């Protein structure tokens, strides 16, 4: 059963409830089944006899279903990554890069409906093939809110917990204690920028994951383009995440 078996060990009941609204039925088993079928349909035979399958998956949900899914953080995306890896292994598919699953909302979908878009890339940053949208994707403009800091998770990232920050040509390895970034000389990473507060942001780890917390800065912090303040709460960091503080740009890495 793959995904469902995993969910039964912790979040199966809660997630199935989230995807079983009045007027529609969309649960983890249905999502996993749709993704497996999509992999089979989109796999491409190669001259060496291998079958190349997509490694990046974007699952579009209705606005209502997405709002419910968002409550459960990255757990469903993580389990879906594992299911994709299991299916690829069972079918002998070749994946050219890390697996990533992303949930996004689409206002044109009705509750209980979903569509899938896939592509193959060697990494998150460098595309090596042309994106191939699913034939099942809805017509017309797709709307919206990918919320990568909350709803996507790479299977490779789940296994990596050493955090690093790249800034101004240097790489800073993060420790168990929070790393404070700011203009102050007492900050762990000092940034000489008038748009950066003396103690602007801290990066910390909890339960094997990494987070950024704005420390009440004057101008706020931006994680992958999304404003983060004390009011918005902590933002989870993923491999390759961009952090903007004033005019300074940092990059978070998992090693």
């Amino acid at each position: 059963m793959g995904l469902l078996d995993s969910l039964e060990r912790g979040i199966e009941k809660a997630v199935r409830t989230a995807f079983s609204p009045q007027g529609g039925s969309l649960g983890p088993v249905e999502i996993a089944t749709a993704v497996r079928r999509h992999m089979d349909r989109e796999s491409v035979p190669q001259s060496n006899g291998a079958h190349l399958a997509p490694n990046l998956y974007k699952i579009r949900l209705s606005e209502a279903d997405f709002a419910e899914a968002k409550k459960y953080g990255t757990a469903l995306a993580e389990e879906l990554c594992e299911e994709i890896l299991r299916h690829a292994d069972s079918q002998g598919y070749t994946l050219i890069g890390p697996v990533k699953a992303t949930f996004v909302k689409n206002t044109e979908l009705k509750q209980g409906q979903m569509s899938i878009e896939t592509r193959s890339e060697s990494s998150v940053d460098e595309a090596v093939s042309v994106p191939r949208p699913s034939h099942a994707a809805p017509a017309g403009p797709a709307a919206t809110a990918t919320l990568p800091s909350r709803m996507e998770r790479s299977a490779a990232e789940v296994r990596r917990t050493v955090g690093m920050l790249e800034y101004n040509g240097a790489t800073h390895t993060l420790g168990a204690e929070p790393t404070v970034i700011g203009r102050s000389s007492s900050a762990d990473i000092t940034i000489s920028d008038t748009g950066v507060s003396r103690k602007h942001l801290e990066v910390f780890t909890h339960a094997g994951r990494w987070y950024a917390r704005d420390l009440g800065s004057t101008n706020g912090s931006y994680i992958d383009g999304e404003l983060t303040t004390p009011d918005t709460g902590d933002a989870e960091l993923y491999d390759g995440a961009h952090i903007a503080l004033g005019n300074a740009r940092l990059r978070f890495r998992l090693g």
Side-chain angles (χ1 to χ4, degrees):
M1 295 286 277
L3 178 63
L4 181 56
D5 288 343
S6 297
L7 290 171
E8 283 178 343
R9 293 197 295 267
I11 64 168
E12 187 269 339
K13 182 177 180 180
V15 175
R16 285 188 65 85
T17 300
F19 283 97
S20 300
Q22 294 296 322
S25 177
L26 184 60
V29 174
E30 288 77 21
I31 294 173
T33 298
V35 168
R36 287 194 296 265
R37 289 176 178 171
H38 193 87
M39 287 182 71
D40 295 339
R41 186 170 61 250
E42 296 295 306
S43 64
V44 179
Q46 305 296 296
S47 58
N48 61 0
H51 280 71
L52 179 65
N55 60 301
L56 303 184
Y57 292 77
K58 182 179 292 185
I59 298 94
R60 292 188 173 92
L61 303 173
S62 70
E63 189 168 8
D65 288 337
F66 181 82
E68 289 297 318
K70 180 179 170 183
K71 297 178 182 178
Y72 302 96
T74 61
L76 185 57
E78 289 175 7
E79 293 292 345
L80 189 57
C81 284
E82 297 294 344
E83 181 63 20
I84 290 168
L85 291 171
R86 282 192 289 266
H87 189 63
D89 183 63
S90 69
Q91 299 300 311
Y93 294 149
T94 298
L95 303 172
I96 65 172
V99 171
K100 176 174 285 186
T102 307
F103 288 87
V104 301
K105 67 179 177 181
N106 188 311
T107 56
E108 294 188 356
L109 292 175
K110 296 180 180 179
Q111 195 170 24
Q113 294 181 336
M114 68 175 170
S115 66
I116 303 171
E117 178 182 325
T118 59
R119 65 183 188 273
S120 294
E121 291 186 5
S122 60
S123 69
V124 175
D125 301 317
E126 180 181 359
V128 297
S129 66
V130 177
R132 305 196 307 149
S134 167
H135 297 298
T144 80
T146 58
L147 294 174
S149 64
R150 295 172 176 82
M151 289 299 295
E152 73 178 36
R153 187 73 164 175
S154 162
E157 292 168 21
V158 175
R159 300 180 178 87
R160 295 183 293 171
T161 58
V162 178
M164 295 170 284
L165 281 174
E166 298 173 350
Y167 172 65
N168 201 24
T171 299
H172 304 266
T173 300
L174 307 177
E177 296 299 317
T179 297
V180 176
I181 307 166
R183 199 174 72 252
S184 172
S185 59
S186 64
D188 298 302
I189 299 177
T190 301
I191 298 176
S192 299
D193 185 314
T194 56
V196 176
S197 297
R198 291 179 58 79
K199 291 187 177 181
H200 196 114
L201 181 84
E202 69 176 9
V203 176
F204 63 97
T205 185
H206 176 70
R209 302 191 185 194
W210 289 91
Y211 301 87
R213 175 181 295 162
D214 187 89
L215 298 175
S217 65
T218 301
N219 299 316
S221 307
Y222 289 84
I223 312 298
D224 285 330
E226 292 189 20
L227 178 63
T228 298
T229 68
D231 291 336
T232 63
D234 301 337
E236 189 168 357
L237 297 173
Y238 300 90
D239 188 38
H242 290 272
I243 301 174
L245 311 177
N247 294 316
R249 300 293 181 270
L250 301 89
R251 189 161 191 166
F252 177 78
R253 286 295 190 184
L254 285 170

